[in-house]
Amino acid sequence: MRAVITTSLAAVLVLASAAPNARAANCGEVPDVLILLDRSGSMKELVGTQSKWSIAKTAVDSLTTKFKDQIAFGMMLFPKWPHVSNCSTGQVNVTPSATAGPTINGLLSSAYPAGDTPSTNSINAARSWLSANKKAGGDQYVILI
């Protein structure tokens, strides 16, 4: 389990090191980054003294705070939030925006882990959503946590 958390946080760090500088953001080259966050029941499990959910929320808050105005973050929770069924495909809860950090963190303060892990369907839904909402000349990325 630690390997999964470590790998997820490593992905966040890789993105952070490759993030555009403020000058690029001012030139309109802000990439869309859709954070695809597992909120299944396994996120209640502890790593040390903290739940995986708590660790993920802290990492997302840090990322969206550090790179606000430089990256257009969005959020998709899976299974679907608000909770529909145990294994429902995720949906975009927050549309990517350079100012979406507070909205994402507000969403995470009310959401909670429950249900199964429809990761494959949710990854496909994220890809479809990004394809349908591509901005001309804009880069798009997904961070799977």
Side-chain angles (χ1 to χ4, degrees):
M1 294 300 168
R2 281 184 182 233
V4 172
I5 295 295
T6 303
T7 302
S8 295
L9 293 178
V12 170
L13 294 174
V14 167
L15 175 69
S17 65
N21 61 34
R23 187 170 145 227
N26 291 334
C27 294
E29 300 170 10
V30 178
D32 285 344
V33 175
L34 187 58
I35 301 169
L36 184 56
L37 179 57
D38 177 6
R39 64 166 207 91
S40 68
S42 66
M43 294 297 280
K44 295 176 191 175
E45 294 174 4
L46 297 180
V47 177
T49 59
Q50 291 188 321
S51 70
K52 293 177 185 178
W53 183 249
S54 176
I55 293 167
K57 287 181 6 176
T58 299
V60 168
D61 178 54
S62 176
L63 187 65
T64 58
T65 299
K66 182 172 182 173
F67 296 104
K68 71 176 191 160
D69 302 326
Q70 296 178 45
I71 297 174
F73 288 107
M75 174 67 68
M76 175 189 279
L77 298 175
F78 70 94
K80 186 177 178 181
W81 178 263
H83 191 68
V84 173
S85 70
N86 282 341
C87 200
S88 54
T89 300
Q91 67 180 21
V92 174
N93 300 93
V94 178
T95 301
S97 165
T99 59
T103 304
I104 290 170
N105 293 312
L107 169 70
L108 294 181
S109 70
S110 64
Y112 54 87
D116 296 321
T117 314
S119 53
T120 300
N121 289 344
S122 296
I123 290 168
N124 288 335
R127 181 177 9 157
S128 294
W129 190 93
L130 287 170
S131 292
N133 292 280
K134 179 125 175 94
K135 296 175 200 145
D139 292 330
Q140 296 178 312
Y141 303 93
V142 172
I143 298 175
L144 174 61
I145 302 175

